[in-house]
Amino acid sequence: MFPLGLRSPGGNRAAGAGAEEPAPYGREAAAAGPLPSPPSPLQPGADAAPPPSPGGSPRSPCAPSQPPGGRARQLGPPGALESSAPSAQGDPSPPSPPRRPPGPDCRAGSRGQPCLRARLGGPGARLFGWLRERSLGRGLFVDPARDNFRTMTNLYGSIHPADSVYLSTRTHGAVFNLEYSPDGSVLTVACEQTEVLLFDPISSKHIKTLSEAHEDCVNNIRFLDNRLFATCSDDTTIALWDLRKLNTKVCTLHGHTSWVKNIEYDTNTRLLVTSGFDGNVIIWDTNRCTEDGCPHKKFFHTRFLMRMRLTPDCSKMLISTSSGYLLILHDLDLTKSLEVGSYPILRARRTTSSSGISPRNSLEVLTPEVPGERDRGNCITSLQLHPKGWATLLRCSSNTDDQEWTCVYEFQEGAPVRPVAPRCSLRLTHYIEEANVGRGYIKELCFSPDGRMISSPHGYGIRLLGFDKQCSELIDCLPKEASPLRVIRSLYSHNDVVLTTKFSPTHCQIASGCLSGRVSLYQPKF
């Protein structure tokens, strides 16, 4: 998302020096020298044919819920669903009988009880019974997402650029990040030229421009709830904002010593978690926030830090690095602090107790498998989590910057296969090679709200990707060996390299932003 070569019109600047200073990648590490290779060669996966590059020459940068047991069946008319309640012993319900008029010979439910329709009677009894069975989790369908995903897939399959809602932001520099409010009522845009833009995504009307939100590039935006949001910047600060009073900041948080690139939020404890190119992950206690800031502490430190994410249940923290490592903190406890400065120490700290159970904040260091990469190493430039916590989504580029991949890795829980071997919590399941356009710039990709689709920047547009052509759940189409992601639809509406994309959490809408500062919205065309 952020230029990785020499800095664009704002001037050149490398990250601070020092042994503990991260070696930022490309633009953010021009002075840091070559990156170290991963500790061992990556295992090759199945090769995918590279997609055609979009038209035009690239611009040179200036530098869970529990998964249901089986697949959902097709939804029929409400009157046709007459599932019987399961027995007290947990026996599965028998198939629904053919529809017949109520009477003394009406088919009984489990354990010989009269069917709900016969007991209640009346014209709405069948519908009422179906709804009641569904609410109890006994009907044919108990997961609303599985009921309507085919409809949503068809809507996304018909999605088009909406000509009437192009949001031109040419004067604000490149678009580095897009974020919807949880209720989908506001779209926020983080811009290169110190500004934050706010739009109504439904009417496409401009709401507000925070013209001096920061003193340098705005990198990331995160909503804490429907009214409070946080922004972070290359000026080393984090700012808190309230949608009800945008003329001033709620407060400014000082604690990082280099560019701040990522914000996460634990809704259970109301702790804000930030990471930056100083290698630090810092915890901010928003429960005790004042106009002067929030109490904070350094939680973790490592070199070459690029991105940090929390799983939806905040049980794990994932940290990606520009040298191709992926760090996973298991059984996360944000109330403790870890001081780690080098990878040998990281490996040494990965221990288990005498009972064989890993302690809180136990650390795992991985070099994820990337197709096509052997001994050249890679940089993990973008990191996202599946909304149900089943998988992680990575955008990787080779150290030689001539290949770019989107990869999905399934979380594998449990003890190591062999007690003496380190546990590998991730397994490559799906991948696709990306158009290597706009070299040196990070491209931020994302999952759809239900986790069935991926929106990925692809040259001058975006691609919608699925685990199969039917956009099934990940758990329903896990291959024995890594297989290619399926292209559901390609959308091109920009005249420059797309750097970021985001699904709306509540509407069938996707937003994308590009290097020249334009924001485009995509929605179904009827």
Side-chain angles (χ1 to χ4, degrees):
M1 182 176 72
F2 313 102
L4 303 178
L6 296 177
R7 190 180 178 83
S8 46
N12 297 332
R13 181 172 68 182
E20 297 302 318
E21 193 68 39
Y25 177 69
R27 160 197 143 168
E28 293 147 336
L35 299 173
S37 300
S40 61
L42 299 176
Q43 298 300 320
D47 292 330
S53 297
S57 58
R59 167 173 174 159
S60 299
C62 298
S65 59
Q66 288 289 342
R71 295 180 183 272
R73 284 169 279 181
Q74 293 298 319
L75 178 63
L81 300 178
E82 297 177 356
S83 300
S84 300
S87 64
Q89 286 78 11
D91 296 334
S93 302
S96 298
R99 212 185 315 176
R100 62 177 68 183
D105 62 341
C106 181
R107 181 72 62 92
S110 307
R111 296 291 180 188
Q113 297 296 324
C115 70
L116 185 64
R117 183 181 67 187
R119 283 186 279 123
L120 296 178
R126 289 195 299 271
L127 178 59
F128 175 81
W130 174 70
L131 293 173
R132 180 176 182 275
E133 293 294 293
R134 178 182 173 120
S135 68
L136 295 175
R138 297 173 178 171
L140 294 177
F141 301 93
V142 295
D143 186 349
R146 288 192 171 227
D147 289 359
N148 61 20
F149 87 91
R150 293 187 186 278
T151 302
M152 294 302 295
T153 300
N154 290 337
L155 285 176
Y156 281 118
S158 64
I159 207 165
H160 286 78
D163 296 339
S164 61
V165 292
Y166 277 166
L167 309 179
S168 179
T169 58
R170 291 187 299 272
T171 62
H172 310 288
V175 174
F176 284 168
N177 184 237
L178 298 165
E179 185 73 12
Y180 285 88
S181 61
D183 61 2
S185 63
V186 177
L187 173 64
T188 56
V189 182
C191 299
E192 179 185 17
Q193 301 295 338
T194 75
E195 297 184 345
V196 173
L197 308 177
L198 292 90
F199 291 91
D200 176 357
I202 305 303
S203 66
S204 75
K205 291 183 178 179
H206 177 242
I207 300 173
K208 180 79 173 178
T209 295
L210 307 179
S211 57
E212 296 181 358
H214 287 275
E215 297 178 359
D216 208 332
C217 302
V218 185
N219 295 321
N220 191 239
I221 302 175
R222 174 71 61 181
F223 274 86
L224 284 59
D225 54 35
N226 283 322
R227 61 181 180 86
L228 290 173
F229 66 95
T231 60
C232 64
S233 169
D234 282 358
D235 66 5
T236 75
T237 68
I238 301 98
L240 293 182
W241 304 85
D242 192 325
L243 286 176
R244 300 170 299 182
K245 188 180 179 181
L246 290 170
N247 293 329
T248 59
K249 303 175 184 177
V250 174
C251 65
T252 301
L253 309 180
H254 299 270
H256 285 279
T257 58
S258 186
W259 305 343
V260 188
K261 295 297 185 181
N262 200 188
I263 307 173
E264 291 287 284
Y265 183 63
D266 184 349
T267 55
N268 298 320
T269 61
R270 297 186 63 190
L271 295 176
L272 199 68
V273 189
T274 62
S275 65
F277 276 5
D278 54 4
N280 292 327
V281 177
I282 296 180
I283 308 295
W284 311 83
D285 187 357
T286 60
N287 298 289
R288 295 185 289 162
C289 191
T290 67
E291 293 182 356
D292 298 326
C294 299
H296 67 278
K297 66 175 182 178
K298 184 166 68 173
F299 175 73
F300 189 80
H301 176 85
T302 185
R303 295 185 297 168
F304 313 122
L305 189 152
M306 285 289 289
R307 291 291 182 272
M308 173 273 305
R309 298 288 180 193
L310 300 179
T311 54
D313 61 359
C314 296
S315 64
K316 295 181 180 65
M317 176 184 288
L318 279 74
I319 298 172
S320 65
T321 70
S322 59
S323 54
Y325 292 103
L326 187 66
L327 283 56
I328 305 178
L329 286 168
H330 296 274
D331 302 314
L332 187 64
D333 184 356
L334 293 175
T335 63
K336 297 180 180 180
S337 296
L338 300 175
E339 298 291 339
V340 182
S342 65
Y343 287 118
I345 298 177
L346 289 178
R347 294 193 187 99
R349 289 183 65 95
R350 190 187 177 280
T351 59
T352 57
S353 64
S354 57
S355 62
I357 302 175
S358 298
R360 301 298 296 272
N361 295 331
S362 60
L363 185 66
E364 185 177 7
V365 182
L366 304 174
T367 51
E369 174 187 358
V370 178
E373 291 296 318
R374 295 181 180 271
D375 300 322
R376 292 184 297 169
N378 65 87
C379 172
I380 304 173
T381 59
S382 181
L383 169 66
Q384 299 293 337
L385 274 298
H386 190 282
K388 297 181 181 179
W390 296 342
T392 183
L393 178 66
L394 303 183
R395 186 77 170 248
C396 305
S397 61
S398 61
N399 281 345
T400 53
D401 212 18
D402 60 348
Q403 279 187 307
E404 201 167 7
W405 296 86
T406 289
C407 301
V408 179
Y409 300 85
E410 172 202 14
F411 279 111
Q412 299 186 105
E413 302 294 344
V417 178
R418 299 191 306 273
V420 297
R423 177 176 65 187
C424 183
S425 294
L426 296 178
R427 180 177 74 92
L428 178 65
T429 62
H430 298 84
Y431 62 90
I432 194 168
E433 188 170 3
E434 299 285 2
N436 197 30
V437 179
R439 297 185 184 185
Y441 284 93
I442 296 175
K443 289 90 176 181
E444 294 285 7
L445 63 176
C446 65
F447 278 107
S448 62
D450 61 3
R452 296 176 183 272
M453 275 192 257
I454 296 165
S455 182
S456 172
H458 187 256
Y460 291 8
I462 62 173
R463 290 194 300 187
L464 298 184
L465 307 172
F467 305 114
D468 61 13
K469 283 294 187 181
Q470 292 73 40
C471 295
S472 301
E473 290 272 22
L474 174 62
I475 58 170
D476 289 338
C477 51
L478 286 174
K480 293 183 179 179
E481 296 182 355
S483 62
L485 288 164
R486 306 296 182 180
V487 179
I488 306 301
R489 189 168 180 81
S490 297
L491 300 164
Y492 297 102
S493 64
H494 290 271
N495 295 320
D496 213 329
V497 178
V498 174
L499 302 181
T500 181
T501 179
K502 195 74 174 181
F503 281 90
S504 167
T506 55
H507 303 90
C508 187
Q509 186 182 82
I510 306 173
S512 63
C514 71
L515 187 61
S516 62
R518 166 165 282 186
V519 177
S520 293
L521 298 183
Y522 311 85
Q523 54 197 29
K525 184 175 291 185
F526 301 101

